[in-house]
Amino acid sequence: MESDYTLFKLDDGPIGVFDSGYGGLTILNEIRKEMPQYDYIYLGDNARAPYGSRSFKVVYEFTVQSVEKLFKLGCPLVILGCNTASAKALRSVQRYYLPRYAPDRRVLGVIIPTAEVVGQMSRTQHIGVLATEGTISSESYNMEIVKQSPKAVVTGLACPMWVPIIENGEADKPGADYFVKDSIDKLMAMDPLIDTIILGCTHFPLLMDKIKKYVPENVKLVPQGKYIARSLQDYLRRHYEMREKITMNGTCTYYTTEQADKFQESAALFLHEDAKNLNVHHVDLRGMI
Ligand code: DGL
């Protein structure tokens, strides 16, 4: 299928993973564990993070710029490893952008694969969602979970301080405890029957040690990485035409809108890798659309 406007024809290349910052590394990590054979490009828009409080229009524009960059770098398939972008931009990217400019390439998000599994994990069917303001106000989780599990009662809470804490390298510092405890207490007060909490922002697993400290013992935490990885694996199993386009040398290259050396240092901490093993490039996304 090719329209007059086709900019990006389907080509062989790596899987692209995009996030506003470091959060998508938690998704990339799990995807690479399941499918180490493929090549990957990670793009973090760190210089413009956080996206959480930005409008639909701005999140859409930034997301399209990032997707275009990943397409230009050769990715036939891009994962929006960012709930805020998945909630606010994915539908428009899939409905309007792709058919016009890249009809054979694909962009997938992280909300549906998470919503698909969470209903089976909850005994009470009372499910909590901690996420950014953008994701919570979009109500995407409520809609998607109830489609899968019609009896589910979903309560969401925005945690606007959590992403800045992580992006600024404060996740392990004692100051972070106050904000983590405060949000968890608020969520549990909104619905004490909650027995399962989705960490509906890819940054949040980076606060896992602190989150575990303040969540009641009987409550399960659902970080998304593992489920996104399995869902992608299943997608590639079902889509031979896409699978055969992904190159397989086991490499990973990183792009950031921040300074490359700063990203390299912080990403290495999150990935528990040696910074000098990370191949990082600076990229400017302005003027991409
Ligand atoms: N990590 C992203 C998410 O999953 C966005 C965080 C942000 O930039 O606010 O929602």
Side-chain angles (χ1 to χ4, degrees):
M1 196 207 320
E2 210 168 286
S3 80
D4 293 347
Y5 303 99
T6 300
L7 284 180
F8 302 103
K9 302 209 170 67
L10 187 58
D11 216 342
D12 291 1
I15 295 175
V17 177
F18 160 69
D19 184 52
S20 60
Y22 295 112
L25 295 173
T26 62
I27 302 289
L28 176 74
N29 233 353
E30 295 294 334
I31 295 179
R32 289 191 76 198
K33 263 193 228 159
E34 291 284 340
M35 294 172 284
Q37 70 275 28
Y38 293 128
D39 292 321
Y40 296 90
I41 294 182
Y42 183 85
L43 171 56
D45 191 6
N46 302 73
R48 300 188 295 193
Y51 280 12
S53 52
R54 294 187 186 272
S55 68
F56 271 88
K57 185 172 175 287
V58 170
V59 173
Y60 176 74
E61 273 175 23
F62 287 1
T63 303
V64 168
Q65 289 171 351
S66 303
V67 167
E68 283 204 340
K69 182 68 198 174
L70 287 165
F71 283 171
K72 283 191 177 144
L73 291 167
C75 301
L77 172 66
V78 171
I79 312 299
L80 301 185
C82 173
N83 289 269
T84 311
S86 298
K88 290 187 146 181
L90 179 63
R91 189 187 290 249
S92 304
V93 168
Q94 288 176 334
R95 283 216 183 142
Y96 308 112
Y97 181 85
L98 288 181
R100 188 160 191 189
Y101 298 113
D104 300 317
R105 299 202 188 204
R106 291 291 172 267
V107 177
L108 306 174
V110 290
I111 291 181
I112 293 176
T114 312
E116 274 171 0
V117 294
V118 73
Q120 304 140 28
M121 294 179 182
S122 168
R123 201 177 43 79
T124 61
Q125 289 297 294
H126 285 245
I127 294 163
V129 182
L130 296 172
T132 65
E133 282 170 85
T135 301
I136 296 299
S137 66
S138 75
E139 304 221 331
S140 301
Y141 270 107
N142 308 50
M143 289 184 293
E144 294 302 336
I145 292 171
V146 170
K147 266 189 216 160
Q148 307 288 333
S149 313
K151 290 202 182 118
V153 178
V154 183
T155 305
L157 181 74
C159 309
M161 290 306 291
W162 290 20
V163 173
I165 286 171
I166 294 160
E167 285 291 309
N168 289 300
E170 298 286 322
D172 296 328
K173 308 277 167 63
D177 282 75
Y178 170 82
F179 294 102
V180 172
K181 181 176 184 323
D182 185 54
S183 297
I184 290 171
D185 289 351
K186 275 186 190 144
L187 180 72
M188 293 311 296
M190 285 160 83
D191 180 0
L193 292 179
I194 288 173
D195 71 346
T196 307
I197 298 178
I198 297 177
L199 302 182
C201 170
T202 52
H203 281 67
F204 292 178
L206 299 167
L207 283 168
M208 196 52 137
D209 290 346
K210 293 200 192 291
I211 296 172
K212 277 187 183 155
K213 226 160 97 184
Y214 299 113
V215 162
E217 240 172 60
N218 63 319
V219 173
K220 266 188 235 119
L221 290 169
V222 185
Q224 307 173 281
K226 197 162 65 182
Y227 305 104
I228 308 306
R230 285 185 196 158
S231 159
L232 176 60
Q233 199 167 32
D234 181 52
Y235 175 87
L236 291 172
R237 209 174 286 134
R238 288 182 287 109
H239 291 86
Y240 171 79
E241 76 295 347
M242 184 52 75
R243 193 174 73 231
E244 67 165 2
K245 292 289 171 195
I246 314 293
T247 50
M248 296 206 284
N249 303 295
T251 66
C252 188
T253 312
Y254 299 85
Y255 286 80
T256 175
T257 51
E258 212 357 310
Q259 277 166 255
D261 53 348
K262 183 169 182 286
F263 180 94
Q264 194 176 33
E265 226 171 87
S266 305
L269 288 179
F270 294 136
L271 293 166
H272 308 292
E273 277 200 41
D274 195 337
K276 64 177 183 312
N277 293 339
L278 302 183
N279 179 8
V280 184
H281 305 269
H282 170 78
V283 68
D284 193 347
L285 295 176
R286 286 166 306 173
M288 288 293 297
I289 314 193

